[in-house]
Amino acid sequence: MEASNSASLLPAIFPSLAKAFGLGALISGVAVVYIKNLLEQNSDNKRRVREKREQQYKDFLNNLMGYYKGWEDKDKQKQFIWDVNTNATISASDEVYRLARKYIDSYDKAKKTTEAERQKIYARLIIAMRNELNKMSGEHPTDLKEKEIKVMQLD
């Protein structure tokens, strides 16, 4: 008698199990779509942050060019100092900020910094910026060396 009771219960349980598994699949599907959407939003946010930082660094370097012989431009120099004192203190990495300050300090006449020393600071600044941007996008650090980076000056 027990065998026939369990046999008669099986058809009654099977639709319940099918519904339960169907509901589980639906919930799993919704969860997967939700998580995928969150990951895509996070990826888009990271991309936008990197693009904005890259543009800030391009503007930063454009203004820094105002210090070089043949490219002298007091307005760009002022903007570079403004950016270092305002934007860089908040958005630049510690290394980029310190190197930017060091570059500005290299123009202190009491320090008597040579042009070769300034070029070295500039090269280290470029490498720091590239490494920061590469890190933000999951790339390897740059393999550029300081001696490969130099600003061409006009006579």
Side-chain angles (χ1 to χ4, degrees):
M1 181 89 173
E2 278 185 37
S4 66
N5 278 346
S6 39
S8 65
L9 287 176
L10 189 59
I13 294 174
F14 186 72
S16 298
L17 287 174
K19 287 179 185 174
F21 285 122
L23 183 60
L26 178 63
I27 291 171
S28 295
V30 169
V32 165
V33 169
Y34 178 75
I35 290 170
K36 183 181 176 200
N37 189 33
L38 284 177
L39 292 174
E40 286 174 359
Q41 285 178 348
N42 188 31
S43 178
D44 286 345
N45 288 342
K46 285 182 179 180
R47 182 185 48 75
R48 281 193 297 272
V49 168
R50 188 201 186 281
E51 286 172 355
K52 183 170 179 159
R53 181 74 50 86
E54 183 177 344
Q55 188 58 50
Q56 287 174 334
Y57 283 168
K58 286 178 181 177
D59 294 343
F60 200 61
L61 293 174
N62 186 49
N63 291 323
L64 186 142
M65 289 299 295
Y67 284 94
Y68 282 98
K69 184 178 177 185
W71 305 102
E72 295 94 345
D73 184 328
K74 290 288 184 190
D75 289 335
K76 286 186 177 189
Q77 292 174 12
K78 288 178 186 178
Q79 186 61 48
F80 178 75
I81 293 169
W82 177 266
D83 286 342
V84 169
N85 289 328
T86 57
N87 300 333
T89 56
I90 301 300
S91 62
S93 70
D94 294 350
E95 184 178 11
V96 168
Y97 175 75
R98 287 181 183 121
L99 287 167
R101 292 289 323 160
K102 190 172 184 177
Y103 188 85
I104 292 169
D105 292 345
S106 75
Y107 282 87
D108 181 347
K109 295 195 188 312
K111 294 188 180 191
K112 298 182 181 176
T113 305
T114 67
E115 189 55 39
E117 292 169 321
R118 275 193 201 102
Q119 287 278 355
K120 190 172 185 172
I121 296 167
Y122 175 81
R124 290 175 50 207
L125 180 61
I126 296 296
I127 290 170
M129 288 177 175
R130 290 175 57 93
N131 283 337
E132 181 182 348
L133 293 170
N134 287 355
K135 184 177 179 182
M136 292 175 84
S137 58
E139 299 174 43
H140 295 289
T142 184
D143 64 352
L144 285 175
K145 307 294 183 236
E146 288 178 16
K147 64 183 177 186
E148 296 176 285
I149 301 169
K150 185 175 180 178
V151 173
M152 302 302 284
Q153 298 184 53
L154 303 176
D155 291 329

